[in-house]
Amino acid sequence: MAVDYTIRGGVAVITLDNPPVNGLGHSTRLGIVEGIERANGDDGVRAIVIIGAGKAFSGGADITEFNTPKASQEPTLMTVIKALEASAKPVVAAIHAVAMGGGLELALGAHYRVAVPGAQIALPEVKLGLLPGAGGTQRLPRVVGLETALNMIVSGTPVLSEKLAQTALFDELVDGDLLQGALSFAHRAADRGGPHPQVRDREIEHPDAAGVIERARESIAVSARHFPAPRKCIDAIEKGVKDGFERGLAFERECFLALVQTPESRALRHAFFGERAASKIADVPSNTPVRKIERIGVIGAGTMGGGIAMNFLNAGLPVTLLETKQDALDRGITTIRRNYEAQVKKGRLTQENVEERMARIAPTLSYADLAQADLVIEAVFEELGVKENVFRQLDEIAKPGAILASNTSTLNLDTIASFTKRPGDVIGMHFFSPANVMKLLEVVRGEKTAKDVLATVMQLAKKIRKTAVVSGVCDGFIGNRMIEQYIRQALFMLEEGALPAQIDRAVEDFGFAMGPFRMSDLAGNDIGWAIRKRRYREQPELHYSRIADRLCEMGRFGQKTGAGWYDYEPGKRDALPSKEVDDMIVAYSKERGIERRAIGDEEIVERLVLALVNEGAKILEEGIAAKASDIDMVYLTGYSFPLWRGGPMLYADTIGLDNVERAMRKYAQQANGDAWRPAARVTVLAQSNGRFND
Ligand code: 3HC
Ligand code: NAI
């Protein structure tokens, strides 16, 4: 049963019991209404308490029911709330831990609300591309005031119950046992007698409501450019202010039903569940025992090693940082301190926080100091010989059971594991640069990686606030393997007729934070050059444009050399189109006998994004990624794929796999068409009207 009904000393207690977070799915809603009816029909009952079992009062509507018939099946949440309001006996909502979304709306339908301190109170629907759909935009302003309600609804951010203690949201804050406090309150309410108050009858009072609403609109103009929900939240609140409760409620409902169908809301819900699904691994049950991780070792204090160390220092774990030479070690430590000091300047850390963190680092030149580490992460030069040397030494000194991780981005993890006598303890932890900032962590599961090692690293990732996605072993893992195909298409389009600025602009308009050429200038064009040189050797049959090699031969490695695909003025990062580069591109096409043509923005975007999709499909076929949502999480958190499109695989689902396949076959007929053999998975889904994300 999703709802439990008991009577405690003349008070009916309706306990929401629908783990994990008492989502208000159909059976829960039905249980509440039945409980209210039963209590009202029972002469032995004088009041009603609604309380949540487990770790929440309620996390809100059951998101998994959205876009299914159950969502609209009676009793809907609106009907449940009406039943609460209509109850002749007083209804008290007793809130602990979490009252969010529909959960808070349910409580706002009760006559009274009591809460323990520390409960998270929120209307977070906007984060799912929605607005509160069961009266939240109308009732919350009536109890916490217009400005607080606008802030809460438009941001979706939780506020602690004690911060709202002085508002009409709560009738009482309970210290101690919540149920006892609620029962005692319920008796007092029954003693006072009815009619009991309803939030809907309160007024929204504000001396400058129109001004506040206008300012709220201005404040989201940029951030909500691609998301309709924040504007609708404001519109619905405004409607209630201007036209009263009932009209506001009807308008809110209309907006909710429209928003739930939008691609933006689907994308945000996909990301919500995708993030949680990424931590679930089919053959590694959630109760797999994990190893204790209390001391961290990091080898290499360069760009990545320093950032990796910061993650653990921030989480309160001590880090031993090893380098081969004192000056490199000093440089690494200085950089970490500088990064922290920059956060102090921005007001994100105090000087005391910095000193605490710095005190947790133990710099060393000796492997013996890593002997007690529970996890050692290697971030040395990307050369197999160097990695071999490191892992052989680690194998000698690391304690039994220590996890040995590599941050390699291109080398074969199984080969690295074979340098040790304990390949089961070896795993890839592929951080993204800057490692202390980027959310994504690709966790690379080697052929022999032990299950408990994988479970431990996935759990640790949560502690350091990363979105961890498991990848099998292959060149580039999930993210970089796909991006290579995207860049390959971008280079083909240069020789066919486009210029870097046009390609970047087209895909930035699509929503990427940075186009491929600006990105490459930032990362360093020499990195891609090194990868291509290896490809030419290892896969000579693979067709590549050599146009980027030409750029590197000109010494244009990007921002670090002051020139790349673009020109850069000294000390500035603005990408200025370069006549020299554009001339080189046109000359290159001519030399190759290619007749340049105008390429439209639509083609640019389609070729770049579908190149990701096709490689993503192959990655799924090979089992490198377990599910399409994992690929989407990699792209949303590591490659700035536009959130409102939900990732490349959801995007493909949205436009339809038949359209995807048709486009690929069209491009296969054009120049450089050999890159466009649709993955088998694409063809199968196109034929079966299927989707990557079921
Ligand atoms: N519906 C269905 N499942 C939900 C859910 C919901 N509203 N909220 C959380 N869950 C599930 C999660 O998917 C997860 O499932 P899993 O264990 O199978 O992966 C499980 O509950 C636990 O979630 P978390 O891992 O996020 O647990 P935390 O303890 O870290 O956080 C939480 C709990 C704060 C409630 C967080 O889950 C959260 O923010 N949930 C979303 C809340 C929300 O957006 N509510 C609004 C829903 S829309 C609505 O109410 C519409 C209404 O206005 C009509
Ligand atoms: P880096 O050159 O900035 O740093 C490497 C550091 O390792 C240097 O400080 C060097 O002195 C040290 N080092 C070299 N050999 C060593 C050894 N035997 N023992 C101890 N220290 C040693 O390189 P970066 O960029 O930090 O890359 C490190 C690793 O991270 C590479 O495997 C790279 O592929 C990977 N990576 C890099 C990313 C990036 O964006 N830079 C992103 C993701 C992974």
Side-chain angles (χ1 to χ4, degrees):
M1 260 307 268
V3 171
D4 182 57
Y5 182 93
T6 52
I7 297 176
R8 301 274 298 260
V11 178
V13 179
I14 297 176
T15 307
L16 313 181
D17 191 5
N18 183 20
V21 298
N22 297 326
L24 299 168
H26 180 252
S27 57
T28 313
R29 302 195 301 267
L30 190 62
I32 301 171
V33 171
E34 284 174 358
I36 299 281
E37 281 169 4
R38 196 164 150 191
N40 273 286
D42 184 344
D43 291 341
V45 168
R46 56 197 310 256
I48 302 161
V49 166
I50 303 182
I51 194 164
K55 66 177 201 175
F57 171 72
S58 170
D62 185 343
I63 315 171
T64 57
E65 280 189 357
F66 287 179
N67 294 323
T68 74
K70 275 199 169 172
S72 53
Q73 202 176 330
E74 288 288 351
T76 63
L77 188 51
M78 302 288 272
T79 308
V80 176
I81 290 171
K82 272 193 193 137
L84 261 57
E85 286 183 325
S87 168
K89 298 178 184 176
V91 181
V92 183
I95 292 170
H96 78 290
V98 168
M100 290 192 181
L104 179 57
E105 292 174 300
L106 177 76
L108 286 167
H111 303 120
Y112 305 100
R113 285 154 299 279
V114 300
V116 287
Q120 297 187 66
I121 310 298
L123 288 176
E125 286 85 345
V126 73
K127 293 184 181 171
L128 301 174
L130 302 169
L131 86 174
T137 62
Q138 304 308 306
R139 289 191 179 89
L140 193 64
R142 286 174 161 77
V143 287
V144 299
L146 181 61
E147 285 177 68
T148 306
L150 266 167
N151 282 338
M152 286 178 71
I153 294 170
V154 174
S155 73
T157 308
V159 179
L160 289 176
S161 47
E162 58 268 32
K163 294 236 162 98
L164 297 166
Q166 302 310 318
T167 70
L169 175 58
F170 296 120
D171 296 280
E172 203 168 282
L173 234 53
V174 176
D175 275 321
D177 187 81
L178 176 63
L179 181 59
Q180 284 312 322
L183 288 171
S184 132
F185 184 93
H187 279 296
R188 277 177 275 139
D191 291 345
R192 270 198 305 274
H196 297 286
Q198 294 187 13
V199 173
R200 61 162 66 221
D201 297 331
R202 300 175 63 92
E203 296 292 324
I204 303 176
E205 282 163 8
H206 197 286
D208 179 25
V212 171
I213 288 170
E214 219 28 64
R215 282 193 290 283
R217 277 209 181 92
E218 281 160 19
S219 75
I220 58 153
V222 175
S223 60
R225 206 159 68 247
H226 300 289
F227 296 95
R231 283 190 300 280
K232 291 291 176 195
C233 289
I234 300 175
D235 292 350
I237 294 171
E238 181 181 45
K239 185 81 177 164
V241 169
K242 284 188 173 161
D243 297 347
F245 183 85
E246 282 303 338
R247 290 217 175 132
L249 199 64
F251 182 74
E252 176 199 89
R253 192 75 208 142
E254 207 179 286
C255 295
F256 183 86
L257 293 176
L259 284 173
V260 85
Q261 302 293 344
T262 56
E264 292 85 356
S265 175
R266 280 176 205 261
L268 288 167
R269 280 179 275 142
H270 176 65
F272 177 85
F273 285 115
E275 167 134 32
R276 283 151 185 82
S279 63
K280 299 188 177 75
I281 306 160
D283 63 336
V284 182
S286 59
N287 60 0
T288 303
V290 293
R291 300 187 187 180
K292 213 195 266 169
I293 304 292
E294 288 170 346
R295 290 162 203 240
I296 310 293
V298 174
I299 306 186
T303 311
M304 294 307 287
I308 292 170
M310 287 174 78
N311 285 297
F312 295 100
L313 299 171
N314 295 347
L317 293 165
V319 176
T320 304
L321 184 59
L322 182 139
E323 263 286 349
T324 44
K325 298 215 173 68
Q326 189 64 44
D327 60 338
L329 191 55
D330 293 344
R331 251 195 328 272
I333 299 282
T334 307
T335 307
I336 293 176
R337 179 172 277 283
R338 200 177 334 111
N339 285 338
Y340 278 138
E341 302 282 357
Q343 291 184 30
V344 174
K345 287 209 183 87
K346 287 182 190 151
R348 294 197 192 131
L349 283 184
T350 64
Q351 196 60 39
E352 199 185 348
N353 298 146
V354 176
E355 299 312 328
E356 269 167 26
R357 281 159 213 224
M358 293 306 294
R360 283 197 278 273
I361 317 183
T364 185
L365 298 173
S366 161
Y367 270 84
D369 290 333
L370 295 177
Q372 292 313 311
D374 303 302
L375 163 70
V376 182
I377 305 172
E378 159 283 307
V380 303
F381 298 140
E382 186 74 341
E383 286 167 32
L384 198 60
V386 183
K387 307 269 191 208
E388 172 167 3
N389 184 0
V390 166
F391 274 82
R392 287 204 192 281
Q393 294 194 65
L394 265 183
D395 199 21
E396 292 298 315
I397 57 93
K399 68 181 184 186
I403 297 178
L404 310 181
S406 172
N407 182 48
T408 181
S409 29
T410 54
L411 300 172
N412 186 309
L413 186 82
D414 294 328
T415 309
I416 292 177
S418 75
F419 298 142
T420 72
K421 290 182 284 302
R422 36 175 138 177
D425 294 341
V426 177
I427 192 164
M429 290 177 76
H430 186 219
F431 288 84
F432 286 70
S433 182
N436 54 316
V437 175
M438 294 294 287
K439 282 284 285 174
L440 177 61
L441 174 65
E442 279 182 327
V443 175
V444 185
R445 182 179 190 173
E447 199 188 343
K448 297 195 174 141
T449 303
K451 288 184 181 177
D452 66 332
V453 168
L454 191 56
T456 305
V457 169
M458 295 304 281
Q459 193 190 64
L460 187 66
K462 280 198 183 134
K463 186 161 186 182
I464 59 170
R465 296 160 177 265
K466 298 291 175 196
T467 301
V469 177
V470 178
S471 170
V473 175
C474 69
D475 201 330
F477 312 125
I478 299 173
N480 285 344
R481 176 170 154 181
M482 287 166 64
I483 210 75
E484 190 179 341
Q485 296 309 317
Y486 163 101
I487 291 171
R488 201 170 151 223
Q489 282 302 320
L491 298 176
F492 283 148
M493 285 190 273
L494 286 187
E495 53 175 56
E496 290 170 33
L499 291 174
Q502 185 202 358
I503 294 181
D504 281 350
R505 190 191 34 74
V507 30
E508 285 161 17
D509 284 351
F510 174 80
F512 275 95
M514 219 183 260
F517 298 107
R518 285 214 293 143
M519 184 173 80
S520 193
D521 273 359
L522 182 66
N525 295 316
D526 48 326
I527 295 178
W529 197 19
I531 294 173
R532 285 194 303 280
K533 282 182 188 160
R534 188 154 62 88
R535 286 278 175 279
Y536 302 154
R537 260 196 331 272
E538 291 173 358
Q539 290 170 272
E541 73 291 352
L542 200 66
H543 170 190
Y544 257 100
S545 167
R546 302 288 170 122
I547 203 161
D549 302 354
R550 186 79 50 101
L551 184 86
C552 291
E553 284 155 11
M554 292 159 77
R556 301 185 70 113
F557 287 174
Q559 288 191 19
K560 62 184 169 192
T561 57
W565 291 106
Y566 296 94
D567 290 336
Y568 296 89
E569 284 175 4
K572 292 200 177 153
R573 286 164 175 270
D574 306 295
L576 308 169
S578 162
K579 178 157 187 325
E580 191 186 357
V581 172
D582 293 354
D583 288 348
M584 178 276 282
I585 292 170
V586 173
Y588 179 92
S589 306
K590 191 165 179 205
E591 197 183 299
R592 296 275 157 141
I594 300 166
E595 195 171 329
R596 292 178 67 81
R597 67 182 171 94
I599 301 183
D601 289 359
E602 201 180 320
E603 176 174 341
I604 291 172
V605 168
E606 195 165 59
R607 283 175 66 176
L608 293 182
V609 178
L610 296 192
L612 294 176
V613 171
N614 208 25
E615 199 62 22
K618 291 178 191 167
I619 282 172
L620 283 174
E621 276 163 30
E622 293 167 27
I624 298 294
K627 42 199 178 300
S629 63
D630 283 356
I631 297 178
D632 286 337
M633 290 320 295
V634 165
Y635 267 77
L636 292 175
T637 56
Y639 293 82
S640 82
F641 195 94
L643 177 59
W644 65 95
R645 301 190 193 273
M649 309 316 275
L650 188 77
Y651 179 71
D653 288 342
T654 308
I655 58 178
L657 268 299
D658 48 348
N659 290 322
V660 166
E661 203 215 22
R662 200 172 305 123
M664 287 181 184
R665 295 210 183 279
K666 177 181 79 189
Y667 293 126
Q669 304 302 318
Q670 292 185 185
N672 298 309
D674 54 336
W676 283 111
R677 199 167 40 81
R681 174 82 54 116
V682 169
T683 307
V684 169
L685 292 176
Q687 283 164 0
S688 62
N689 209 5
R691 295 162 51 87
F692 287 117
N693 293 282
D694 284 328

